[in-house]
Amino acid sequence: MALLELEDVAVSYGNIAALRGVSMAVEDGEIVALIGANGAGKSTLIKAVAGLLRSRQGDVRYAGRTIKGLDAARVARLGLAVVPEARRLFGAMSVAENLELGAFVRGGARRGDLEEVLTLFPRLAERLPQKAATLSGGEQQMLAIGRALMARPRLVLMDEPSIGLAPMMVQAIFAAIARLREQGRTILLVEQNARLAMRLADRAYVLELGRVTLAGQASELAAMDRIQELYLGA
Amino acid sequence: MLADFVQTVFAALSIGSMYALVAVGVTLVYSATRIINFAQGEFVMLGGMIMVSLYGEGGWPLWAAVPVTLLLTAALAALLGLVAYRPGRQGALISVLIITIGASMAISGSAFHVWDGDVHRFPAFSGDAPIKFLGAALAPQTLWIFGAAVLCIGALFLFLHHSLWGKAMRACAIDRTAAALMGIPVGPTVLASFVLAGLLGSIAGIVITPLTMVDYSGGMLLAIKGFSAAMLGGMGNVAGAVLGSVVFAVLEAFAATYLSSTVKELITFVVIILVLMFLPNGLLGGRQQRGLAQEDTLE
Ligand SMILES: Nc1ncnc2c1ncn2[C@@H]1O[C@H](COP(=O)(O)OP(=O)(O)OP(=O)(O)O)[C@@H](O)[C@H]1O
Ligand SMILES: [Mg+2]
């Protein structure tokens, strides 16, 4: 049984249907890429899994139980961490405090938690006492990922972690995700940068106007003409 | 006259402590909810009134009367939080304002029926024999008032900055959605900020009543003072609330001594109008807590 399963998930904002019956799965230890154009419904899907929005039909199952209808805090306590769109750091709080709050689900950080995140992102180590709002865009993204990892989650949902970053920073973020992959983490990676995402992912889904239009091995999808044209700019 | 001056400083000390307890409560609830709680002063009144019944007239010992008073006011504060705060409600600022003003009137009206319209007090905790200092007389209760303010606000500061739950409370104030994604139970945490604010007010009422006396109607004026002090310091900022309270207390105390007590009230309102017009973020407003993104998707 998959760790995360979406079955016929549909979400609307008023009259606007953002997701129209989406089914997908993420297996334990897998990196799954979710790609799609602006407005395809990627962030909506993340929010529907995280408990910020509710699907009006179908089901969302995590670790064998339904999580549809649970609020976000409950979902988080089940070991599902989110790197949200726009990062949503606690800007007026320090880097250290942001990381500590990441471990809130486990009653606060334990020995070794912080060290692990700082090994992944050494740049954060020098900035621990600094307010999160004063970090550069790339550092903020590192902090957002680090904060999610502090929960020692079983599944991480990342919503466009490389968006708006300079090429150097995009490389750094993807290098970190590659390290997480080596550690055998389970990640659902929403990305605009389809080229890099497909290179890292085991499998990928393509979302168009709220529907999954293609799914399969990332390498196979990346080789398809249609994907090349639409998302890889070939 | 040195004695006058010292006496005035003593007055500023007790007024400032009381304002600070109220203002910190106002600012705490504001930063967690963006609600200006005009019922905050009622907790001061209730703290005083319940103590009048238990400690003053009931003859309960202090160690029993104080916890019961705190418990009762905390319960009422939680109730107010439940009524005033609805997560996800948007654009209803004015209706929430009316709710807190209405709650203020309901509480003082009920107090009139439960007790009466008279002015009450109960004995000071360490007697009334003044302590002489540089020709001025210090009521021992002033030390209780000052001590309570320093202890409570200090404890609150430690809680907010050095405990996980305190940090979680600050996180909820900055970005509720992100806080929920961290697994923080946002609703109960916000409710806790109402309870803490109610407790601060209640403690103010418990220590101040032997000096200032209490009746059912005093809450609203106090809330306005607390709001003004919080505004002056920068709404949403605990240190600002304390600073604003000190400024108002000093202004009022010195105006009362060297001008007249009618001028005293005037000064408060002139200052707050100037602040609202020219310094809407307050003295420490630049450091106001803000999230990076405030788009609210939490229902
Ligand atoms: N709060 C909202 N209210 C109304 N419509 C919304 C809201 N949020 C998203 N939508 C609409 O739902 C659709 C899907 O939005 P979503 O944010 O999920 O897209 P996305 O794939 O994440 O896009 P992007 O790549 O730009 O982040 C879009 O048409 C968007 O306009
Ligand atoms: Mg998006």
Side-chain angles (χ1 to χ4, degrees), chain A residues 38-39 41-44 85 159-160 190:
Chain A
N38 290 118
K42 306 180 298 293
S43 298
T44 303
E85 189 169 39
D159 196 343
E160 306 211 38
V190 167

